[in-house]
Amino acid sequence: MSYSEICDKLIHILIKSKFMIKTFPFTLDSLPYAYDALEPVIDKETMEIHHDKHHQAYTDNLNKAAEANVELQTKGLEDLLGSGVPVVKNNAGGVWNHDFFWESMTTPGVSQIENSLKVEIEKAFASVEEFMSKFEAAAMGRFGSGWAWLVKNKVGGLEIMSTANQDNPLVDGLTPLLAIDVWEHAYYLKYKNKRVDYVKAWWQVVNWDKVEYRYSGSFTQVFERPRPDSDISPGCRLNLSVYH
């Protein structure tokens, strides 16, 4: 194995472990809390199926697509969100969106909107109550499967939007701050066909501390994955374009 090949392998290991930028082979992260931590808002069985079956399936299918296309193996997860190949785009979105979704929630009732985020929400939507109403409308108005999002636009303002299937706001240059999954598998065991009950109850488990952190930080802080910007060693230079 040549020196450059050794460097490439070391850099890949560093990226995967220390810097946590997801690249091939893609892996399913553990939940940041117990399966029953969101009860009674989201039940344990739903979390087990949603994470261990659905999220795992997106991960497995993305790896299968990458195994068949060497070019995909050199790209970071975020790069695949806008792929022109549906199987890549859909499964990359499924992995990214769910990683983001799990981190957006916490134990019911322990997190509140505070500080600069509250000020910006009131500036953009007149009040927290009006923001919640519009966010709920976006979640309820998404026909079929998809997501509702709170995003930071290119000039730093807040917007509410929804996306179909596993589409992601990053593709449009927006920074995701908060998202709710309105695919039926996210709520059907407990709420049946009453999506509105799920959406309204979901506010109890929003991790506003995480949303505040995302708002106040740069995009690289969305998943707390800082990117290296210097040489790994005098002879091993990191080509960021491979991992972006």
Side-chain angles (χ1 to χ4, degrees):
M1 183 178 293
S2 69
Y3 181 73
S4 62
E5 289 174 329
I6 293 173
C7 284
D8 286 343
K9 282 190 173 292
L10 289 174
I11 289 169
H12 189 75
I13 292 170
L14 180 63
I15 289 293
K16 290 287 286 184
S17 58
K18 183 176 180 179
F19 294 102
M20 298 176 65
I21 297 171
K22 281 198 169 182
T23 56
F24 177 82
F26 301 97
T27 57
L28 178 67
D29 295 337
S30 300
L31 288 173
Y33 33 69
Y35 289 105
D36 62 355
L38 305 183
E39 289 188 340
V41 178
I42 303 178
D43 59 283
K44 179 181 179 181
E45 185 178 8
T46 292
M47 292 298 294
E48 289 174 338
I49 295 172
H50 198 170
H51 177 267
D52 296 358
K53 302 299 183 183
H54 291 280
H55 197 179
Q56 182 70 67
Y58 289 121
T59 305
D60 293 343
N61 289 334
L62 183 58
N63 280 323
K64 289 178 183 177
E67 287 168 1
N69 186 336
V70 176
E71 183 180 349
L72 299 180
Q73 298 176 19
T74 65
K75 295 182 179 295
L77 179 60
E78 286 83 359
D79 292 316
L80 303 180
L81 297 174
S83 172
V85 181
V87 69
V88 175
K89 174 185 176 181
N90 292 337
N91 287 291
V95 174
W96 199 102
N97 293 355
H98 284 89
D99 281 346
F100 186 84
F101 183 54
W102 308 137
E103 292 184 5
S104 297
M105 298 184 290
T106 189
T107 305
V110 303
S111 187
Q112 303 294 325
I113 305 177
E114 297 178 330
N115 305 321
S116 60
L117 178 64
K118 185 173 186 291
V119 172
E120 292 303 317
I121 285 177
E122 291 173 340
K123 183 188 300 183
F125 305 104
S127 68
V128 171
E129 292 74 21
E130 185 65 15
F131 154 68
M132 294 173 70
S133 176
K134 290 182 177 179
F135 190 91
E136 290 171 5
M140 292 304 301
R142 169 49 55 189
F143 181 78
S145 301
W147 300 75
W149 305 80
L150 173 67
V151 300
K152 182 163 63 173
N153 62 30
K154 296 176 183 178
V155 295
L158 298 182
E159 297 179 10
I160 292 169
M161 64 180 297
S162 71
T163 58
N165 301 316
Q166 296 297 349
D167 291 356
N168 188 292
L170 286 173
V171 176
D172 297 318
L174 304 170
T175 301
L177 302 177
L178 179 66
I180 182 172
D181 186 349
V182 292
W183 283 64
E184 287 188 343
H185 62 241
Y187 62 87
Y188 212 84
L189 285 180
K190 180 176 178 66
Y191 296 95
K192 303 299 187 286
N193 63 325
K194 297 179 180 179
R195 181 191 289 186
V196 64
D197 291 350
Y198 158 67
V199 171
K200 288 184 176 297
W202 180 76
W203 293 115
Q204 299 175 53
V205 296
V206 171
N207 187 343
W208 291 111
D209 294 333
K210 177 66 72 174
V211 181
E212 169 84 26
Y213 179 70
R214 291 166 177 163
Y215 175 77
S216 62
S218 64
F219 167 67
T220 56
Q221 292 174 311
V222 170
F223 281 128
E224 301 181 45
R225 296 176 187 157
R227 298 176 187 268
D229 56 6
S230 61
D231 291 357
I232 300 302
S233 74
C236 289
R237 187 167 186 83
L238 178 60
N239 180 3
L240 288 178
S241 65
V242 173
Y243 301 100
H244 282 200

